[in-house]
mmCIF file of all heavy atoms in Angstrom:
data_model
loop_
_atom_site.group_PDB
_atom_site.id
_atom_site.type_symbol
_atom_site.label_atom_id
_atom_site.label_comp_id
_atom_site.label_asym_id
_atom_site.label_seq_id
_atom_site.Cartn_x
_atom_site.Cartn_y
_atom_site.Cartn_z
ATOM 1 N N TYR A 1 -70.943 -14.900 67.804
ATOM 2 C CA TYR A 1 -71.828 -13.759 68.018
ATOM 3 C C TYR A 1 -73.092 -13.824 67.160
ATOM 4 O O TYR A 1 -73.869 -12.867 67.136
ATOM 5 C CB TYR A 1 -71.093 -12.455 67.712
ATOM 6 C CG TYR A 1 -70.183 -11.985 68.823
ATOM 7 C CD1 TYR A 1 -68.821 -11.808 68.596
ATOM 8 C CD2 TYR A 1 -70.671 -11.721 70.098
ATOM 9 C CE1 TYR A 1 -67.983 -11.378 69.606
ATOM 10 C CE2 TYR A 1 -69.845 -11.294 71.110
ATOM 11 C CZ TYR A 1 -68.501 -11.122 70.869
ATOM 12 O OH TYR A 1 -67.668 -10.704 71.863
ATOM 13 N N TYR A 2 -73.289 -14.938 66.477
ATOM 14 C CA TYR A 2 -74.460 -15.043 65.594
ATOM 15 C C TYR A 2 -75.746 -14.791 66.391
ATOM 16 O O TYR A 2 -75.951 -15.341 67.474
ATOM 17 C CB TYR A 2 -74.519 -16.427 64.957
ATOM 18 C CG TYR A 2 -75.650 -16.593 63.963
ATOM 19 C CD1 TYR A 2 -75.491 -16.220 62.639
ATOM 20 C CD2 TYR A 2 -76.884 -17.093 64.358
ATOM 21 C CE1 TYR A 2 -76.522 -16.356 61.720
ATOM 22 C CE2 TYR A 2 -77.925 -17.244 63.456
ATOM 23 C CZ TYR A 2 -77.743 -16.867 62.140
ATOM 24 O OH TYR A 2 -78.776 -17.003 61.242
ATOM 25 N N GLY A 3 -76.614 -13.938 65.827
ATOM 26 C CA GLY A 3 -77.897 -13.667 66.466
ATOM 27 C C GLY A 3 -77.841 -12.633 67.572
ATOM 28 O O GLY A 3 -78.816 -12.447 68.301
ATOM 29 N N GLN A 4 -76.709 -11.915 67.694
ATOM 30 C CA GLN A 4 -76.584 -10.928 68.755
ATOM 31 C C GLN A 4 -76.329 -9.533 68.200
ATOM 32 O O GLN A 4 -75.653 -9.362 67.185
ATOM 33 C CB GLN A 4 -75.443 -11.317 69.707
ATOM 34 C CG GLN A 4 -75.749 -12.583 70.504
ATOM 35 C CD GLN A 4 -74.615 -12.978 71.413
ATOM 36 O OE1 GLN A 4 -73.505 -13.231 70.949
ATOM 37 N NE2 GLN A 4 -74.871 -13.044 72.702
ATOM 38 N N ILE A 5 -76.889 -8.544 68.879
ATOM 39 C CA ILE A 5 -76.594 -7.148 68.586
ATOM 40 C C ILE A 5 -75.373 -6.772 69.417
ATOM 41 O O ILE A 5 -75.366 -6.960 70.636
ATOM 42 C CB ILE A 5 -77.785 -6.239 68.939
ATOM 43 C CG1 ILE A 5 -78.984 -6.563 68.041
ATOM 44 C CG2 ILE A 5 -77.395 -4.770 68.813
ATOM 45 C CD1 ILE A 5 -80.264 -5.860 68.460
ATOM 46 N N MET A 6 -74.345 -6.282 68.758
ATOM 47 C CA MET A 6 -73.108 -5.954 69.448
ATOM 48 C C MET A 6 -73.109 -4.504 69.908
ATOM 49 O O MET A 6 -73.309 -3.586 69.096
ATOM 50 C CB MET A 6 -71.903 -6.208 68.522
ATOM 51 C CG MET A 6 -70.565 -5.758 69.086
ATOM 52 S SD MET A 6 -70.208 -6.392 70.733
ATOM 53 C CE MET A 6 -70.336 -8.150 70.430
ATOM 54 N N LEU A 7 -72.892 -4.314 71.183
ATOM 55 C CA LEU A 7 -72.700 -2.992 71.761
ATOM 56 C C LEU A 7 -71.209 -2.813 72.012
ATOM 57 O O LEU A 7 -70.624 -3.524 72.832
ATOM 58 C CB LEU A 7 -73.492 -2.870 73.071
ATOM 59 C CG LEU A 7 -73.158 -1.688 73.986
ATOM 60 C CD1 LEU A 7 -73.414 -0.358 73.269
ATOM 61 C CD2 LEU A 7 -73.983 -1.765 75.267
ATOM 62 N N ALA A 8 -70.583 -1.897 71.287
ATOM 63 C CA ALA A 8 -69.144 -1.659 71.420
ATOM 64 C C ALA A 8 -68.908 -0.611 72.498
ATOM 65 O O ALA A 8 -69.454 0.500 72.422
ATOM 66 C CB ALA A 8 -68.562 -1.192 70.092
ATOM 67 N N THR A 9 -68.110 -0.952 73.504
ATOM 68 C CA THR A 9 -67.855 0.009 74.577
ATOM 69 C C THR A 9 -66.724 0.977 74.237
ATOM 70 O O THR A 9 -66.632 2.038 74.834
ATOM 71 C CB THR A 9 -67.505 -0.706 75.893
ATOM 72 O OG1 THR A 9 -66.291 -1.442 75.733
ATOM 73 C CG2 THR A 9 -68.623 -1.654 76.303
ATOM 74 N N THR A 10 -65.849 0.597 73.293
ATOM 75 C CA THR A 10 -64.798 1.527 72.880
ATOM 76 C C THR A 10 -65.414 2.695 72.118
ATOM 77 O O THR A 10 -66.459 2.546 71.469
ATOM 78 C CB THR A 10 -63.735 0.810 72.022
ATOM 79 O OG1 THR A 10 -62.634 1.681 71.822
ATOM 80 C CG2 THR A 10 -64.298 0.382 70.675
ATOM 81 N N ALA A 11 -64.784 3.856 72.208
ATOM 82 C CA ALA A 11 -65.415 5.079 71.698
ATOM 83 C C ALA A 11 -65.496 5.150 70.181
ATOM 84 O O ALA A 11 -66.418 5.755 69.627
ATOM 85 C CB ALA A 11 -64.669 6.303 72.232
ATOM 86 N N HIS A 12 -64.525 4.551 69.470
ATOM 87 C CA HIS A 12 -64.462 4.703 68.017
ATOM 88 C C HIS A 12 -64.503 3.345 67.323
ATOM 89 O O HIS A 12 -63.736 2.444 67.656
ATOM 90 C CB HIS A 12 -63.178 5.435 67.606
ATOM 91 C CG HIS A 12 -63.088 6.821 68.159
ATOM 92 N ND1 HIS A 12 -63.749 7.892 67.599
ATOM 93 C CD2 HIS A 12 -62.420 7.312 69.239
ATOM 94 C CE1 HIS A 12 -63.494 8.977 68.302
ATOM 95 N NE2 HIS A 12 -62.690 8.647 69.305
ATOM 96 N N ILE A 13 -65.376 3.213 66.351
ATOM 97 C CA ILE A 13 -65.505 2.002 65.549
ATOM 98 C C ILE A 13 -65.330 2.378 64.081
ATOM 99 O O ILE A 13 -65.936 3.335 63.605
ATOM 100 C CB ILE A 13 -66.875 1.325 65.759
ATOM 101 C CG1 ILE A 13 -66.973 0.760 67.173
ATOM 102 C CG2 ILE A 13 -67.113 0.229 64.730
ATOM 103 C CD1 ILE A 13 -66.010 -0.374 67.466
ATOM 104 N N GLY A 14 -64.496 1.615 63.370
ATOM 105 C CA GLY A 14 -64.302 1.846 61.941
ATOM 106 C C GLY A 14 -63.102 2.691 61.603
ATOM 107 O O GLY A 14 -62.802 2.889 60.419
ATOM 108 N N ASN A 15 -62.365 3.182 62.610
ATOM 109 C CA ASN A 15 -61.299 4.145 62.347
ATOM 110 C C ASN A 15 -60.113 3.571 61.588
ATOM 111 O O ASN A 15 -59.367 4.319 60.963
ATOM 112 C CB ASN A 15 -60.822 4.796 63.649
ATOM 113 C CG ASN A 15 -60.552 3.786 64.748
ATOM 114 O OD1 ASN A 15 -61.380 2.930 65.017
ATOM 115 N ND2 ASN A 15 -59.406 3.885 65.373
ATOM 116 N N TYR A 16 -59.925 2.234 61.626
ATOM 117 C CA TYR A 16 -58.803 1.670 60.862
ATOM 118 C C TYR A 16 -59.279 0.747 59.732
ATOM 119 O O TYR A 16 -58.503 -0.015 59.169
ATOM 120 C CB TYR A 16 -57.803 0.952 61.779
ATOM 121 C CG TYR A 16 -58.358 -0.157 62.645
ATOM 122 C CD1 TYR A 16 -58.534 -1.444 62.138
ATOM 123 C CD2 TYR A 16 -58.672 0.074 63.975
ATOM 124 C CE1 TYR A 16 -59.029 -2.458 62.931
ATOM 125 C CE2 TYR A 16 -59.160 -0.943 64.783
ATOM 126 C CZ TYR A 16 -59.337 -2.209 64.263
ATOM 127 O OH TYR A 16 -59.828 -3.225 65.049
ATOM 128 N N GLY A 17 -60.544 0.839 59.388
ATOM 129 C CA GLY A 17 -61.053 0.138 58.217
ATOM 130 C C GLY A 17 -61.127 -1.359 58.359
ATOM 131 O O GLY A 17 -61.179 -1.904 59.463
ATOM 132 N N VAL A 18 -61.121 -2.045 57.218
ATOM 133 C CA VAL A 18 -61.256 -3.500 57.146
ATOM 134 C C VAL A 18 -60.128 -4.057 56.288
ATOM 135 O O VAL A 18 -59.815 -3.502 55.235
ATOM 136 C CB VAL A 18 -62.623 -3.889 56.534
ATOM 137 C CG1 VAL A 18 -62.712 -5.384 56.292
ATOM 138 C CG2 VAL A 18 -63.763 -3.430 57.444
ATOM 139 N N HIS A 19 -59.526 -5.165 56.751
ATOM 140 C CA HIS A 19 -58.422 -5.801 56.032
ATOM 141 C C HIS A 19 -58.788 -7.249 55.736
ATOM 142 O O HIS A 19 -59.305 -7.956 56.602
ATOM 143 C CB HIS A 19 -57.142 -5.726 56.861
ATOM 144 C CG HIS A 19 -55.899 -6.044 56.096
ATOM 145 N ND1 HIS A 19 -55.563 -7.329 55.709
ATOM 146 C CD2 HIS A 19 -54.902 -5.238 55.632
ATOM 147 C CE1 HIS A 19 -54.428 -7.302 55.053
ATOM 148 N NE2 HIS A 19 -53.998 -6.042 54.983
ATOM 149 N N LYS A 20 -58.495 -7.711 54.543
ATOM 150 C CA LYS A 20 -58.902 -9.044 54.094
ATOM 151 C C LYS A 20 -58.300 -10.169 54.923
ATOM 152 O O LYS A 20 -58.846 -11.276 54.954
ATOM 153 C CB LYS A 20 -58.538 -9.249 52.621
ATOM 154 C CG LYS A 20 -57.054 -9.141 52.301
ATOM 155 C CD LYS A 20 -56.782 -9.328 50.805
ATOM 156 C CE LYS A 20 -55.327 -9.111 50.449
ATOM 157 N NZ LYS A 20 -54.403 -9.998 51.171
ATOM 158 N N ASP A 21 -57.184 -9.937 55.593
ATOM 159 C CA ASP A 21 -56.536 -10.994 56.367
ATOM 160 C C ASP A 21 -57.010 -11.067 57.815
ATOM 161 O O ASP A 21 -56.481 -11.855 58.595
ATOM 162 C CB ASP A 21 -55.009 -10.784 56.356
ATOM 163 C CG ASP A 21 -54.417 -10.984 54.978
ATOM 164 O OD1 ASP A 21 -54.995 -11.766 54.192
ATOM 165 O OD2 ASP A 21 -53.374 -10.357 54.694
ATOM 166 N N GLU A 22 -57.997 -10.250 58.171
ATOM 167 C CA GLU A 22 -58.408 -10.180 59.571
ATOM 168 C C GLU A 22 -59.846 -10.641 59.810
ATOM 169 O O GLU A 22 -60.413 -10.396 60.877
ATOM 170 C CB GLU A 22 -58.206 -8.749 60.094
ATOM 171 C CG GLU A 22 -56.728 -8.373 60.129
ATOM 172 C CD GLU A 22 -56.480 -6.906 60.394
ATOM 173 O OE1 GLU A 22 -57.465 -6.146 60.565
ATOM 174 O OE2 GLU A 22 -55.304 -6.500 60.432
ATOM 175 N N PHE A 23 -60.421 -11.338 58.842
ATOM 176 C CA PHE A 23 -61.750 -11.905 59.040
ATOM 177 C C PHE A 23 -61.636 -13.205 59.837
ATOM 178 O O PHE A 23 -60.690 -13.966 59.667
ATOM 179 C CB PHE A 23 -62.418 -12.208 57.694
ATOM 180 C CG PHE A 23 -62.682 -10.988 56.863
ATOM 181 C CD1 PHE A 23 -62.018 -10.785 55.667
ATOM 182 C CD2 PHE A 23 -63.603 -10.043 57.273
ATOM 183 C CE1 PHE A 23 -62.257 -9.662 54.894
ATOM 184 C CE2 PHE A 23 -63.854 -8.909 56.521
ATOM 185 C CZ PHE A 23 -63.181 -8.721 55.324
ATOM 186 N N ASP A 24 -62.615 -13.478 60.695
ATOM 187 C CA ASP A 24 -62.624 -14.737 61.435
ATOM 188 C C ASP A 24 -63.690 -15.699 60.935
ATOM 189 O O ASP A 24 -63.916 -16.749 61.530
ATOM 190 C CB ASP A 24 -62.798 -14.481 62.934
ATOM 191 C CG ASP A 24 -61.519 -14.794 63.700
ATOM 192 O OD1 ASP A 24 -60.845 -15.768 63.318
ATOM 193 O OD2 ASP A 24 -61.195 -14.094 64.665
ATOM 194 N N SER A 25 -64.345 -15.340 59.838
ATOM 195 C CA SER A 25 -65.267 -16.239 59.137
ATOM 196 C C SER A 25 -65.528 -15.613 57.774
ATOM 197 O O SER A 25 -64.942 -14.584 57.430
ATOM 198 C CB SER A 25 -66.569 -16.432 59.923
ATOM 199 O OG SER A 25 -67.344 -15.251 59.923
ATOM 200 N N ASP A 26 -66.430 -16.210 57.021
ATOM 201 C CA ASP A 26 -66.664 -15.743 55.656
ATOM 202 C C ASP A 26 -67.654 -14.586 55.547
ATOM 203 O O ASP A 26 -67.912 -14.088 54.459
ATOM 204 C CB ASP A 26 -67.140 -16.907 54.780
ATOM 205 C CG ASP A 26 -68.432 -17.527 55.289
ATOM 206 O OD1 ASP A 26 -68.941 -17.087 56.352
ATOM 207 O OD2 ASP A 26 -68.943 -18.467 54.647
ATOM 208 N N SER A 27 -68.215 -14.134 56.677
ATOM 209 C CA SER A 27 -69.208 -13.063 56.615
ATOM 210 C C SER A 27 -69.420 -12.453 57.995
ATOM 211 O O SER A 27 -68.976 -13.002 59.011
ATOM 212 C CB SER A 27 -70.549 -13.601 56.085
ATOM 213 O OG SER A 27 -71.083 -14.563 56.987
ATOM 214 N N ILE A 28 -70.120 -11.329 58.040
ATOM 215 C CA ILE A 28 -70.496 -10.716 59.317
ATOM 216 C C ILE A 28 -71.492 -11.631 60.022
ATOM 217 O O ILE A 28 -72.431 -12.139 59.406
ATOM 218 C CB ILE A 28 -71.132 -9.334 59.083
ATOM 219 C CG1 ILE A 28 -70.102 -8.368 58.488
ATOM 220 C CG2 ILE A 28 -71.693 -8.767 60.388
ATOM 221 C CD1 ILE A 28 -70.668 -7.029 58.107
ATOM 222 N N LYS A 29 -71.298 -11.838 61.305
ATOM 223 C CA LYS A 29 -72.170 -12.735 62.066
ATOM 224 C C LYS A 29 -73.065 -12.014 63.066
ATOM 225 O O LYS A 29 -74.081 -12.564 63.487
ATOM 226 C CB LYS A 29 -71.323 -13.790 62.799
ATOM 227 C CG LYS A 29 -70.611 -14.749 61.842
ATOM 228 C CD LYS A 29 -71.584 -15.508 60.964
ATOM 229 C CE LYS A 29 -70.959 -16.623 60.137
ATOM 230 N NZ LYS A 29 -70.023 -16.156 59.111
ATOM 231 N N ILE A 30 -72.686 -10.801 63.493
ATOM 232 C CA ILE A 30 -73.572 -10.068 64.388
ATOM 233 C C ILE A 30 -74.829 -9.667 63.621
ATOM 234 O O ILE A 30 -74.816 -9.553 62.392
ATOM 235 C CB ILE A 30 -72.885 -8.828 64.982
ATOM 236 C CG1 ILE A 30 -72.444 -7.852 63.873
ATOM 237 C CG2 ILE A 30 -71.702 -9.235 65.859
ATOM 238 C CD1 ILE A 30 -71.960 -6.504 64.411
ATOM 239 N N SER A 31 -75.917 -9.445 64.350
ATOM 240 C CA SER A 31 -77.162 -9.058 63.674
ATOM 241 C C SER A 31 -77.316 -7.549 63.578
ATOM 242 O O SER A 31 -78.145 -7.048 62.803
ATOM 243 C CB SER A 31 -78.368 -9.657 64.406
ATOM 244 O OG SER A 31 -78.428 -9.205 65.747
ATOM 245 N N GLY A 32 -76.530 -6.800 64.360
ATOM 246 C CA GLY A 32 -76.580 -5.347 64.312
ATOM 247 C C GLY A 32 -75.514 -4.766 65.219
ATOM 248 O O GLY A 32 -74.926 -5.482 66.038
ATOM 249 N N LEU A 33 -75.243 -3.457 65.075
ATOM 250 C CA LEU A 33 -74.203 -2.799 65.864
ATOM 251 C C LEU A 33 -74.745 -1.532 66.508
ATOM 252 O O LEU A 33 -75.483 -0.769 65.888
ATOM 253 C CB LEU A 33 -73.011 -2.429 64.968
ATOM 254 C CG LEU A 33 -71.925 -1.567 65.628
ATOM 255 C CD1 LEU A 33 -71.185 -2.365 66.694
ATOM 256 C CD2 LEU A 33 -70.948 -1.029 64.583
ATOM 257 N N VAL A 34 -74.335 -1.333 67.774
ATOM 258 C CA VAL A 34 -74.612 -0.100 68.494
ATOM 259 C C VAL A 34 -73.266 0.444 68.963
ATOM 260 O O VAL A 34 -72.473 -0.282 69.566
ATOM 261 C CB VAL A 34 -75.526 -0.346 69.712
ATOM 262 C CG1 VAL A 34 -75.697 0.931 70.518
ATOM 263 C CG2 VAL A 34 -76.882 -0.887 69.267
ATOM 264 N N CYS A 35 -72.978 1.711 68.683
ATOM 265 C CA CYS A 35 -71.686 2.283 69.058
ATOM 266 C C CYS A 35 -71.819 3.771 69.362
ATOM 267 O O CYS A 35 -72.871 4.381 69.144
ATOM 268 C CB CYS A 35 -70.656 2.052 67.962
ATOM 269 S SG CYS A 35 -71.035 2.845 66.383
ATOM 270 N N LYS A 36 -70.728 4.338 69.869
ATOM 271 C CA LYS A 36 -70.691 5.778 70.168
ATOM 272 C C LYS A 36 -70.349 6.564 68.907
ATOM 273 O O LYS A 36 -71.127 7.398 68.448
ATOM 274 C CB LYS A 36 -69.659 6.046 71.271
ATOM 275 C CG LYS A 36 -69.494 7.525 71.620
ATOM 276 C CD LYS A 36 -70.781 8.125 72.154
ATOM 277 C CE LYS A 36 -70.556 9.586 72.554
ATOM 278 N NZ LYS A 36 -71.828 10.219 72.973
ATOM 279 N N ASN A 37 -69.164 6.323 68.348
ATOM 280 C CA ASN A 37 -68.724 7.041 67.145
ATOM 281 C C ASN A 37 -68.398 6.051 66.035
ATOM 282 O O ASN A 37 -67.542 5.181 66.212
ATOM 283 C CB ASN A 37 -67.480 7.877 67.450
ATOM 284 C CG ASN A 37 -67.726 8.932 68.499
ATOM 285 O OD1 ASN A 37 -68.617 9.760 68.348
ATOM 286 N ND2 ASN A 37 -66.946 8.906 69.577
ATOM 287 N N PHE A 38 -69.064 6.172 64.915
ATOM 288 C CA PHE A 38 -68.796 5.347 63.738
ATOM 289 C C PHE A 38 -67.999 6.210 62.764
ATOM 290 O O PHE A 38 -68.503 7.203 62.242
ATOM 291 C CB PHE A 38 -70.104 4.881 63.109
ATOM 292 C CG PHE A 38 -69.931 3.800 62.072
ATOM 293 C CD1 PHE A 38 -70.049 2.470 62.421
ATOM 294 C CD2 PHE A 38 -69.656 4.121 60.755
ATOM 295 C CE1 PHE A 38 -69.900 1.461 61.481
ATOM 296 C CE2 PHE A 38 -69.498 3.120 59.791
ATOM 297 C CZ PHE A 38 -69.618 1.789 60.168
ATOM 298 N N SER A 39 -66.739 5.850 62.538
ATOM 299 C CA SER A 39 -65.840 6.694 61.755
ATOM 300 C C SER A 39 -66.294 6.812 60.306
ATOM 301 O O SER A 39 -66.608 5.815 59.654
ATOM 302 C CB SER A 39 -64.411 6.135 61.804
ATOM 303 O OG SER A 39 -63.902 6.217 63.113
ATOM 304 N N ASP A 40 -66.287 8.048 59.805
ATOM 305 C CA ASP A 40 -66.668 8.307 58.424
ATOM 306 C C ASP A 40 -65.595 7.858 57.438
ATOM 307 O O ASP A 40 -65.843 7.717 56.253
ATOM 308 C CB ASP A 40 -66.918 9.801 58.215
ATOM 309 C CG ASP A 40 -68.074 10.312 59.058
ATOM 310 O OD1 ASP A 40 -68.739 9.476 59.690
ATOM 311 O OD2 ASP A 40 -68.303 11.527 59.068
ATOM 312 N N PHE A 41 -64.369 7.647 57.926
ATOM 313 C CA PHE A 41 -63.263 7.249 57.047
ATOM 314 C C PHE A 41 -62.312 6.378 57.853
ATOM 315 O O PHE A 41 -62.385 6.294 59.072
ATOM 316 C CB PHE A 41 -62.530 8.485 56.515
ATOM 317 C CG PHE A 41 -61.957 9.352 57.596
ATOM 318 C CD1 PHE A 41 -60.672 9.145 58.073
ATOM 319 C CD2 PHE A 41 -62.721 10.367 58.170
ATOM 320 C CE1 PHE A 41 -60.143 9.938 59.076
ATOM 321 C CE2 PHE A 41 -62.193 11.154 59.190
ATOM 322 C CZ PHE A 41 -60.913 10.940 59.638
ATOM 323 N N GLN A 42 -61.404 5.710 57.139
ATOM 324 C CA GLN A 42 -60.393 4.891 57.806
ATOM 325 C C GLN A 42 -59.010 5.461 57.523
ATOM 326 O O GLN A 42 -58.781 6.050 56.477
ATOM 327 C CB GLN A 42 -60.503 3.427 57.360
ATOM 328 C CG GLN A 42 -60.354 3.178 55.865
ATOM 329 C CD GLN A 42 -58.911 3.100 55.430
ATOM 330 O OE1 GLN A 42 -58.015 2.922 56.247
ATOM 331 N NE2 GLN A 42 -58.689 3.228 54.124
ATOM 332 N N SER A 43 -58.091 5.263 58.464
ATOM 333 C CA SER A 43 -56.783 5.897 58.355
ATOM 334 C C SER A 43 -55.637 4.917 58.151
ATOM 335 O O SER A 43 -54.480 5.331 58.174
ATOM 336 C CB SER A 43 -56.514 6.724 59.620
ATOM 337 O OG SER A 43 -56.566 5.893 60.773
ATOM 338 N N ARG A 44 -55.934 3.629 57.960
ATOM 339 C CA ARG A 44 -54.858 2.645 57.788
ATOM 340 C C ARG A 44 -54.560 2.459 56.303
ATOM 341 O O ARG A 44 -55.443 2.024 55.542
ATOM 342 C CB ARG A 44 -55.268 1.312 58.424
ATOM 343 C CG ARG A 44 -54.192 0.242 58.346
ATOM 344 C CD ARG A 44 -54.493 -0.973 59.193
ATOM 345 N NE ARG A 44 -55.786 -1.566 58.934
ATOM 346 C CZ ARG A 44 -56.114 -2.820 59.279
ATOM 347 N NH1 ARG A 44 -55.219 -3.580 59.904
ATOM 348 N NH2 ARG A 44 -57.311 -3.292 59.024
ATOM 349 N N PRO A 45 -53.356 2.720 55.870
ATOM 350 C CA PRO A 45 -53.031 2.609 54.437
ATOM 351 C C PRO A 45 -53.266 1.215 53.864
ATOM 352 O O PRO A 45 -53.601 1.084 52.685
ATOM 353 C CB PRO A 45 -51.538 2.982 54.393
ATOM 354 C CG PRO A 45 -51.320 3.830 55.591
ATOM 355 C CD PRO A 45 -52.225 3.284 56.652
ATOM 356 N N SER A 46 -53.098 0.164 54.681
ATOM 357 C CA SER A 46 -53.229 -1.189 54.160
ATOM 358 C C SER A 46 -54.666 -1.701 54.142
ATOM 359 O O SER A 46 -54.924 -2.809 53.665
ATOM 360 C CB SER A 46 -52.372 -2.153 54.990
ATOM 361 O OG SER A 46 -52.838 -2.211 56.327
ATOM 362 N N ALA A 47 -55.616 -0.913 54.629
ATOM 363 C CA ALA A 47 -57.009 -1.351 54.658
ATOM 364 C C ALA A 47 -57.541 -1.541 53.241
ATOM 365 O O ALA A 47 -57.188 -0.808 52.313
ATOM 366 C CB ALA A 47 -57.868 -0.342 55.411
#
């Protein structure tokens, strides 16, 4: 996805946070994000 702006069609982004074992490279590769709802908090205890 390098060099692309990601448009997420799912309604909620960020709701389960970020986990260290779920990265697919060493850094974010998209150039930007467009979404409907960006969650103010995450609800996953292991995040």
Side-chain angles (χ1 to χ4, degrees):
Y1 280 121
Y2 184 86
Q4 292 179 300
I5 295 171
M6 174 52 57
L7 166 61
T9 63
T10 189
H12 298 280
I13 292 294
N15 48 311
Y16 56 83
V18 173
H19 194 286
K20 60 181 175 58
D21 293 332
E22 294 170 0
F23 296 114
D24 250 323
S25 70
D26 60 357
S27 64
I28 295 175
K29 294 300 189 294
I30 60 171
S31 60
L33 172 69
V34 175
C35 63
K36 178 62 177 175
N37 298 304
F38 192 94
S39 294
D40 297 353
F41 59 90
Q42 58 83 17
S43 59
R44 182 169 54 161
S46 64

